[in-house]
Amino acid sequence: MLGFNARHDRAESWVRQHVGDLIEAIVADQKDAVRGFIEAGLQDGTGPQTLARQITGTMNRATGLREGGILGLTSMQTDYVIRARHELNDPARMAHYFTRQRRDRRFDKIVRDAMAAGKPVAAADIDRIANRYKDRLLALRGENIARTEAITALRAGRHEGYLQLVDSGKVAESTIIRTWRAGRDGRTRFDHVILDKTEIRGLNTPFIAADGSRMSFPGDSSLGAMAHNTINCRCNLDYQIDRRRL
């Protein structure tokens, strides 16, 4: 009974307006990331040229590709890189570097040797290690964006399918019940755990998270929900038709 017309005006409008929301958000977040990186560098006494290189990366003459740099990271990931550099430069804090899951373990021996000698990691090695750590965080961000955008598009398509079903006149909107289903594995956002099993009749009334974020379905940003409520959301939505009211 449920069909989906991808060329429906409403479906095409959603794609134009919302696919790529996370990518557009990079610009605003990137400003915060660069600002924080510059402030931290100035506090450490890093010169402008070095800061510029650390922000933009350097060109590899052999490959013709730009390597290193923090551009593309979230402000939180940029903070991870800053902290990692500080840890590599401070023997007293160096042990914490080994807790970073996205580090390149091929450099661990260099760090262990420095820690055993009670000396900072050499500056050139810090650059190499931090750049590789940054590359892995950047890859993670790309994966998160791709996964979130794809899953959100699927959820939006399902929601649009029910809207089109109502448009067809086969069912009334008031007969459709949406139920939020949150994961229960310890990684689910607290706001979404609170929403678990919440039922809403109809298709136009949004679910409202504890912080006021409004979502028609998990991952929905079309009503202004912030990224912290949508990125990597693994919740589901059940749709049921109350046949007693058909």
Side-chain angles (χ1 to χ4, degrees):
M1 181 168 61
L2 180 64
F4 177 73
N5 175 14
R7 300 307 305 273
H8 189 287
D9 289 345
R10 187 171 50 228
E12 291 187 341
S13 176
W14 187 92
V15 171
R16 287 194 300 269
Q17 293 179 39
H18 303 296
V19 170
D21 280 350
L22 292 179
I23 297 174
E24 292 176 3
I26 289 176
V27 176
D29 189 69
Q30 196 69 87
K31 291 179 181 178
D32 292 335
V34 172
R35 184 182 299 112
F37 193 84
I38 291 174
E39 289 176 354
L42 292 176
Q43 290 174 5
D44 292 339
T46 305
Q49 290 184 334
T50 300
L51 275 175
R53 185 179 67 252
Q54 291 176 353
I55 291 171
T56 63
T58 57
M59 190 67 70
N60 185 317
R61 294 182 180 179
T63 64
L65 300 176
R66 185 169 294 279
E67 298 177 346
I70 61 151
L71 293 180
L73 298 181
T74 65
S75 54
M76 182 178 294
Q77 288 175 329
T78 298
D79 186 59
Y80 293 162
V81 175
I82 293 171
R83 290 175 183 272
R85 296 183 71 95
H86 286 169
E87 290 159 4
L88 295 170
N89 198 44
D90 183 355
R93 301 166 59 190
M94 209 170 286
H96 191 269
Y97 169 77
F98 294 103
T99 68
R100 300 192 175 278
Q101 296 181 359
R102 295 280 167 173
R103 76 183 192 278
D104 189 332
R105 287 171 170 76
R106 291 175 295 181
F107 294 113
D108 281 4
K109 185 178 185 304
I110 294 175
V111 182
R112 287 197 179 94
D113 288 347
M115 189 164 58
K119 298 179 179 180
V121 174
D125 286 331
I126 289 178
D127 284 342
R128 286 199 301 154
I129 295 170
N131 284 344
R132 184 56 181 155
Y133 181 47
K134 170 262 176 185
D135 289 343
R136 291 189 168 192
L137 291 175
L138 186 59
L140 175 63
R141 186 175 197 193
E143 293 169 7
N144 287 343
I145 289 174
R147 184 184 304 113
T148 301
E149 293 280 10
I151 293 175
T152 299
L154 290 173
R155 290 168 175 155
R158 189 180 183 207
H159 192 75
E160 173 62 25
Y162 277 95
L163 288 171
Q164 292 179 18
L165 181 62
V166 171
D167 290 346
S168 72
K170 293 180 181 178
V171 300
E173 183 194 352
S174 61
T175 66
I176 299 175
I177 300 173
R178 292 174 292 146
T179 306
W180 189 289
R181 301 294 184 189
R184 289 285 186 171
D185 58 3
R187 293 190 295 146
T188 303
R189 297 167 174 83
F190 180 69
D191 283 3
H192 294 189
V193 171
I194 295 176
L195 285 173
D196 188 38
K197 299 180 182 179
T198 298
E199 291 187 357
I200 292 180
R201 186 174 290 273
L203 296 171
N204 295 316
T205 302
F207 293 88
I208 302 178
D211 68 350
S213 293
R214 298 156 63 86
M215 296 169 282
S216 293
F217 46 84
D220 176 31
S221 62
S222 66
L223 301 177
M226 300 297 290
H228 69 265
N229 253 315
T230 60
I231 294 179
N232 280 341
C233 177
R234 296 170 297 115
C235 300
N236 293 307
L237 204 63
D238 285 345
Y239 291 80
Q240 292 181 317
I241 296 176
D242 186 354
R243 299 189 177 279
R244 297 171 301 176
R245 300 184 59 174
L246 288 177

